[in-house]
Amino acid sequence: MATSTSIVGRSVHGLTYAVLGWAVAYGGVRLAWTVGEAPEFGRLGLDLLGFTGWWSVALCAAAGGLAVALDRVATWRPALAGLAWAVAGALVAAAAILLPELVGFLLFTVGPFFDPLAFASRLACVTGAVLLSLATARYQRRTRGDCPDCCRTVRPGTRRSTPARWARWAAWAAVGGLVTRFAAQFVVGFDRVDQSAALLGLEIGLVLAGVLLPLALVHHWGEVWPGWVPLLAGLTIPRPLLLVPGFGLGAGIVAYFGMGIVQVASGSHSEFSDPFLWVAMSAYLVMGLGLLVTSTDYHLRTRPRCGACGR
């Protein structure tokens, strides 16, 4: 009973307020667009994929309710954490078009379908996913006895300095996925592929992400600048330099092409044959998953010793 009282009396964490504030604000906009008249969203005609209308309102409500539950529940409930991660993933998937838009920004080619309001809506949707993910990670640390600073649960002395075998396989799977994608494109002919600025920029970014990045995440030259890099040779590579694009692109690719596979499976019309789309999108999906796996191994392997728990 004392435990129950302490739980009820405990102050609400700032992350919970953040998710709730986002759910009310963005959910209110989605509700207004659902019961009223939604904007045109430029030439593309939409801002989110799959989760539109009342589905988008339901996602916002679910995120807010789960944030409260994660803050109130004092014991580890895998089902609760799994549901929270699923809602966060659905929010990312709904805003999957954000990936080519961000790559286009990096390459200074936003493309003819870019719409500022739709972009802002997708960015807001992903913001909710990030906030809910942080709240879920905090719940896991709090209820599983993990270190609140570094999330470690392993025993002291179990740190490793070399990539796991499964990470190396994942890295080469990512490279193989990219090779398979362009092999499929070679079969149908490059002249048949829409080479708009946005899509061309996306493909250039994916080439860099599908070869250099996964291999760097599982090799020593991804931790220390190699000798052939002027001025930086021998210096430690900042972890965010690889982890941010590794996790960010990995999640974005999985969301973007995962939703693409759903559209193909539902019979969405395309100028390309279904076999080509299945092969190409599945290959990209493997590449994205490979990036997520290799980034996870890199994070676990290179994180500094924690000053709080000493692990």
Short mmCIF file of all heavy atoms in Angstrom, two decimals, residues 158-164 166 296-297 300-302:
data_model
loop_
_atom_site.label_atom_id
_atom_site.label_comp_id
_atom_site.label_asym_id
_atom_site.label_seq_id
_atom_site.Cartn_x
_atom_site.Cartn_y
_atom_site.Cartn_z
N THR A 158 32.58 -7.16 -18.81
CA THR A 158 32.05 -7.85 -19.99
C THR A 158 32.08 -6.97 -21.24
O THR A 158 31.49 -7.32 -22.24
CB THR A 158 30.60 -8.31 -19.73
OG1 THR A 158 29.81 -7.16 -19.40
CG2 THR A 158 30.55 -9.32 -18.60
N ARG A 159 32.74 -5.85 -21.15
CA ARG A 159 32.86 -4.98 -22.32
C ARG A 159 33.69 -5.66 -23.41
O ARG A 159 34.60 -6.42 -23.11
CB ARG A 159 33.52 -3.65 -21.93
CG ARG A 159 32.71 -2.80 -20.96
CD ARG A 159 33.55 -1.66 -20.41
NE ARG A 159 34.01 -0.79 -21.47
CZ ARG A 159 33.37 0.28 -21.90
NH1 ARG A 159 32.21 0.60 -21.35
NH2 ARG A 159 33.85 1.04 -22.86
N ARG A 160 33.36 -5.40 -24.66
CA ARG A 160 34.13 -5.96 -25.76
C ARG A 160 34.57 -4.83 -26.68
O ARG A 160 33.90 -3.79 -26.78
CB ARG A 160 33.32 -6.99 -26.53
CG ARG A 160 31.99 -6.50 -27.07
CD ARG A 160 31.22 -7.63 -27.73
NE ARG A 160 29.88 -7.22 -28.09
CZ ARG A 160 29.57 -6.54 -29.18
NH1 ARG A 160 30.53 -6.20 -30.02
NH2 ARG A 160 28.32 -6.20 -29.44
N SER A 161 35.68 -5.03 -27.35
CA SER A 161 36.25 -3.99 -28.20
C SER A 161 36.16 -4.32 -29.68
O SER A 161 36.53 -3.49 -30.51
CB SER A 161 37.72 -3.76 -27.82
OG SER A 161 38.46 -4.97 -27.94
N THR A 162 35.70 -5.51 -30.01
CA THR A 162 35.59 -5.90 -31.41
C THR A 162 34.12 -6.10 -31.79
O THR A 162 33.30 -6.47 -30.95
CB THR A 162 36.35 -7.21 -31.68
OG1 THR A 162 35.85 -8.24 -30.82
CG2 THR A 162 37.84 -7.01 -31.41
N PRO A 163 33.78 -5.86 -33.05
CA PRO A 163 32.39 -6.03 -33.48
C PRO A 163 31.92 -7.47 -33.33
O PRO A 163 32.69 -8.42 -33.50
CB PRO A 163 32.42 -5.61 -34.95
CG PRO A 163 33.65 -4.80 -35.10
CD PRO A 163 34.64 -5.35 -34.13
N ALA A 164 30.66 -7.63 -32.99
CA ALA A 164 30.07 -8.97 -32.91
C ALA A 164 29.94 -9.55 -34.31
O ALA A 164 29.84 -8.82 -35.31
CB ALA A 164 28.71 -8.91 -32.23
N TRP A 166 27.44 -11.07 -35.59
CA TRP A 166 26.16 -10.73 -36.19
C TRP A 166 26.16 -9.31 -36.76
O TRP A 166 25.45 -9.02 -37.72
CB TRP A 166 25.03 -10.90 -35.19
CG TRP A 166 25.26 -10.28 -33.83
CD1 TRP A 166 25.74 -10.91 -32.73
CD2 TRP A 166 25.00 -8.92 -33.45
NE1 TRP A 166 25.81 -10.03 -31.66
CE2 TRP A 166 25.36 -8.81 -32.07
CE3 TRP A 166 24.51 -7.80 -34.10
CZ2 TRP A 166 25.24 -7.61 -31.36
CZ3 TRP A 166 24.39 -6.61 -33.40
CH2 TRP A 166 24.75 -6.53 -32.05
N THR A 296 23.61 -0.35 -33.63
CA THR A 296 23.42 -0.82 -32.27
C THR A 296 24.70 -1.43 -31.72
O THR A 296 25.11 -1.15 -30.58
CB THR A 296 22.28 -1.85 -32.21
OG1 THR A 296 21.07 -1.24 -32.66
CG2 THR A 296 22.08 -2.38 -30.80
N ASP A 297 25.36 -2.26 -32.52
CA ASP A 297 26.61 -2.87 -32.08
C ASP A 297 27.68 -1.80 -31.85
O ASP A 297 28.42 -1.85 -30.86
CB ASP A 297 27.09 -3.87 -33.13
CG ASP A 297 28.43 -4.48 -32.76
OD1 ASP A 297 28.44 -5.38 -31.89
OD2 ASP A 297 29.46 -4.06 -33.32
N LEU A 300 26.97 0.00 -28.53
CA LEU A 300 27.29 -0.82 -27.37
C LEU A 300 28.79 -1.00 -27.19
O LEU A 300 29.30 -1.07 -26.06
CB LEU A 300 26.61 -2.19 -27.49
CG LEU A 300 25.08 -2.19 -27.50
CD1 LEU A 300 24.55 -3.59 -27.75
CD2 LEU A 300 24.53 -1.64 -26.18
N ARG A 301 29.51 -1.06 -28.30
CA ARG A 301 30.94 -1.35 -28.25
C ARG A 301 31.79 -0.13 -27.92
O ARG A 301 32.85 -0.25 -27.28
CB ARG A 301 31.36 -1.92 -29.60
CG ARG A 301 32.76 -2.48 -29.65
CD ARG A 301 33.07 -3.08 -31.00
NE ARG A 301 33.32 -2.09 -32.02
CZ ARG A 301 32.50 -1.80 -33.02
NH1 ARG A 301 31.34 -2.43 -33.13
NH2 ARG A 301 32.80 -0.87 -33.92
N THR A 302 31.35 1.05 -28.34
CA THR A 302 32.20 2.23 -28.22
C THR A 302 31.78 3.21 -27.13
O THR A 302 32.47 4.19 -26.91
CB THR A 302 32.25 2.98 -29.56
OG1 THR A 302 30.92 3.44 -29.90
CG2 THR A 302 32.76 2.07 -30.67
#
